[in-house]
């Protein structure tokens, strides 16, 4: 059973920072992945791509809305992905989801939610202005 466990959400003030983590496991063992990503969703809206990273070579992609403020990284040994979020804004308020692509078929781009077979349960980030 694949599980993506997110942690690190919370409530902060505008200008503050937060760090989100996501650990992927399958039946309690590390989940091998081609790529992992973060998306976010505001209630009633579509899920938006934020950042992605490939596991083998660490190639990163960012949405323009977070480039320069958010940093994605991975710890291959711990099979954990982290999203460091700096200079948070009220418009960053959303539920944040991590996603994993264990297969690497590359039918869609890293920015496309269809690339990811597995998703976490989501963690709320609230930024007060």
């Amino acid at each position: 059973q694949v599980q993506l466990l997110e942690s690190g959400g919370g409530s902060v003030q505008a200008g503050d920072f937060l760090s989100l983590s996501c650990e992927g496991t399958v039946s309690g063992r590390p989940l091998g992945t081609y790529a992992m990503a973060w998306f976010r969703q505001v209630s009633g809206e579509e899920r938006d791509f934020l950042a992605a990273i490939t596991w083998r070579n660490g190639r990163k992609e960012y949405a323009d809305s977070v480039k320069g403020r958010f940093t994605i990284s991975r710890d291959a040994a711990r099979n954990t992905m982290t999203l460091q979020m700096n200079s948070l804004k009220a418009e960053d308020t959303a539920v944040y989801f991590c996603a994993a692509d264990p297969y690497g078929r590359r039918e869609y781009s890293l920015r496309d939610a269809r690339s990811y077979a597995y998703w976490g349960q989501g963690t709320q980030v609230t930024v007060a202005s």
Side-chain angles (χ1 to χ4, degrees):
Q1 181 179 0
V2 175
Q3 185 175 20
L4 299 182
L5 182 61
E6 298 142 335
S7 60
S11 297
V12 296
Q13 297 293 316
D16 284 351
F17 63 90
L18 275 175
S19 182
L20 305 181
S21 292
C22 177
E23 180 183 11
T25 60
V26 53
S27 300
R29 295 173 293 178
L31 171 67
T33 53
Y34 167 74
M36 294 184 75
W38 289 98
F39 289 73
R40 68 186 179 192
Q41 187 172 26
V42 175
S43 180
E45 298 183 9
E46 293 187 355
R47 192 168 293 189
D48 292 329
F49 168 78
L50 297 177
I53 187 166
T54 58
W55 225 245
R56 182 176 180 182
N57 60 13
R59 178 169 65 93
K60 303 175 184 180
E61 291 194 23
Y62 293 97
D64 288 342
S65 59
V66 303
K67 194 176 296 182
R69 297 191 299 125
F70 291 9
T71 302
I72 192 171
S73 61
R74 85 230 190 275
D75 182 336
R78 296 173 55 200
N79 216 63
T80 299
M81 174 180 64
T82 298
L83 185 69
Q84 177 66 36
M85 306 185 294
N86 296 329
S87 302
L88 284 164
K89 306 174 183 179
E91 51 262 43
D92 293 319
T93 296
V95 178
Y96 284 65
F97 296 89
C98 73
D101 170 14
Y103 308 118
R105 295 192 184 105
R106 293 181 283 182
E107 295 176 350
Y108 306 101
S109 78
L110 291 177
R111 298 169 181 261
D112 194 319
R114 293 174 294 179
S115 291
Y116 302 95
Y118 300 105
W119 294 81
Q121 78 285 355
T123 185
Q124 177 70 44
V125 172
T126 301
V127 184
S129 57

